Amino acid sequence: MRTKLDAVLHAVNQILLGKEPQVRLALTCLLARGHLLIEDLPGMGKTTLSQALARILGLSYQRIQFTSDLLPGDILGTSVFDKDSGQFTFHPGPIFAELVLADEINRATPKSQSALLEAMEEGQVTIEGATRPLPEPFFVIATQNPVSQGGTFALPESQLDRFLMRLSLGYPAKAAEKALLLGEARRELLPKLQPLLDHAELAAIQALIPQVRASDALVDYVLRLVEATRSEPQFAWGLSPRASLALLSAARAWAFLANREYVIPEDVQAVLPSVVGHRLRERADPAGHGGGSLVQWLLREVPAV
């Protein structure tokens, strides 16, 4: 299984050049059964990453372009009257895919953004009083533009908390961008990708993640990190138990990708910025984005032993 995961990472890295850490984090998020938020400028490869993962993992794929006029029914689906049968027939929306790209999610209104909440938390949607299960696996990759750009609606904290991880791709290194300019267009390489894992193998790997051992000492380290956010004065609020579970789950998946059956503090430290950065705010600026500096404080001030 781990050999196949290495092949998956290698194949995606051939498409998205120079972004090995971010690709590994994205796969970690999927293996931990979480959802991923990518915040970056347009044109950084966010959509390419989602398409590459879908093709290599053999997942059905739908892209939803979030705009200001998008309605919840455009995401979830609607019932349409069939005059031949005299009954309403449900037409599922693009949410009924295994990998859903919610593109530029913060350009839609809060009402449309919230249509994803039940899907991401429960793996199901309720439409017109009927609960409909979503496919398994179900993985949402949402992209958003920086909130400083015009025409955006900032995601509320309750929705940010549904994402296991948030990351940024950033500008490529000079060598990677040169290879990008001289090589074949990335979009033209995507159709050539072949699935490297089937659904049963992916499900089996996801089932193995909770079995990765975390010692009492390791769990105590996680608890010290979380407690610091609740007691230190610079934090506007502390991390929730959901965040604690997310941090440990992501660390287990990271350790699994590193071919280990146990978690070490370095695994927690590797995933900490992506798991908690979007959940933290500075007390002096609770509406701002001070999560990055707070994460660095945690890494520096909270001992692993």
Side-chain angles (χ1 to χ4, degrees):
M1 290 292 188
R2 289 182 173 89
T3 301
K4 288 194 173 184
L5 288 176
D6 289 340
V8 168
L9 289 170
H10 177 74
V12 178
N13 286 324
Q14 298 306 302
I15 300 296
L16 202 68
L17 300 178
K19 300 299 175 187
E20 289 84 359
Q22 291 92 332
V23 170
R24 181 174 286 268
L25 283 169
L27 185 57
T28 296
C29 187
L30 172 60
L31 296 184
R33 299 181 183 272
H35 302 288
L36 178 64
L37 177 64
I38 306 178
E39 181 177 289
D40 220 323
L41 294 168
M44 292 294 188
K46 302 183 293 293
T47 302
T48 302
L49 172 60
S50 66
Q51 291 175 328
L53 283 173
R55 287 185 174 273
I56 288 172
L57 298 174
L59 303 177
S60 61
Y61 176 84
Q62 286 286 353
R63 175 179 178 269
I64 307 172
Q65 182 63 54
F66 278 66
T67 57
S68 58
D69 59 348
L70 186 75
L71 299 175
D74 299 328
I75 301 170
L76 305 179
T78 57
S79 292
V80 178
F81 184 74
D82 185 346
K83 64 179 181 179
D84 294 330
S85 64
Q87 297 179 336
F88 283 90
T89 302
F90 178 70
H91 291 254
I95 196 69
F96 289 88
E98 292 161 339
L99 195 158
V100 176
L101 173 64
D103 205 11
E104 296 185 307
I105 188 173
N106 60 337
R107 292 198 177 276
T109 61
K111 182 177 182 179
S112 296
Q113 292 175 6
S114 64
L116 289 174
L117 289 180
E118 182 185 9
M120 295 170 63
E121 185 69 17
E122 306 293 340
Q124 64 184 29
V125 294
T126 302
I127 306 167
E128 299 171 353
T131 299
R132 303 176 187 275
L134 292 170
E136 181 65 34
F138 177 66
F139 183 40
V140 173
I141 298 180
T143 73
Q144 68 173 3
N145 298 324
V147 294
S148 58
Q149 293 195 343
T152 60
F153 300 85
L155 297 180
E157 286 76 12
S158 61
Q159 189 161 343
L160 284 172
D161 197 45
R162 261 55 173 199
F163 290 98
L164 178 70
M165 290 184 175
R166 182 187 68 177
L167 57 84
S168 173
L169 297 179
Y171 294 111
K174 183 177 179 180
E177 192 162 9
K178 182 176 181 180
L180 179 66
L181 294 174
L182 295 176
E184 192 173 354
R186 301 296 103 180
R187 294 291 177 88
E188 295 178 4
L189 294 175
L190 287 170
K192 302 177 182 178
L193 295 177
Q194 298 297 321
L196 298 177
L197 283 177
D198 59 33
H199 284 56
E201 290 172 324
L202 178 57
I205 293 173
Q206 289 179 322
L208 289 173
I209 299 304
Q211 300 176 28
V212 177
R213 295 193 306 274
S215 67
D216 284 350
L218 190 284
V219 173
D220 286 342
Y221 176 46
V222 172
L223 290 174
R224 286 197 299 275
L225 289 166
V226 172
E227 178 58 31
T229 70
R230 300 173 183 174
S231 60
E232 295 296 328
Q234 62 266 46
F235 293 88
W237 53 75
L239 293 172
S240 67
R242 178 191 287 161
S244 305
L245 292 168
L247 182 56
L248 186 57
S249 179
R252 282 182 162 130
W254 186 269
F256 188 89
L257 280 177
N259 200 23
R260 272 184 283 102
E261 297 178 353
Y262 55 90
V263 185
I264 59 176
E266 286 77 7
D267 299 323
V268 177
Q269 294 161 2
V271 300
L272 183 71
S274 299
V275 174
V276 308
H278 59 294
R279 293 179 162 97
L280 296 176
R281 294 288 186 276
E282 292 182 356
R283 185 181 295 276
D285 185 19
H289 293 269
S293 60
L294 293 175
V295 169
Q296 294 307 312
W297 184 92
L298 288 171
L299 291 172
R300 184 176 65 252
E301 299 295 333
V302 179
V305 294

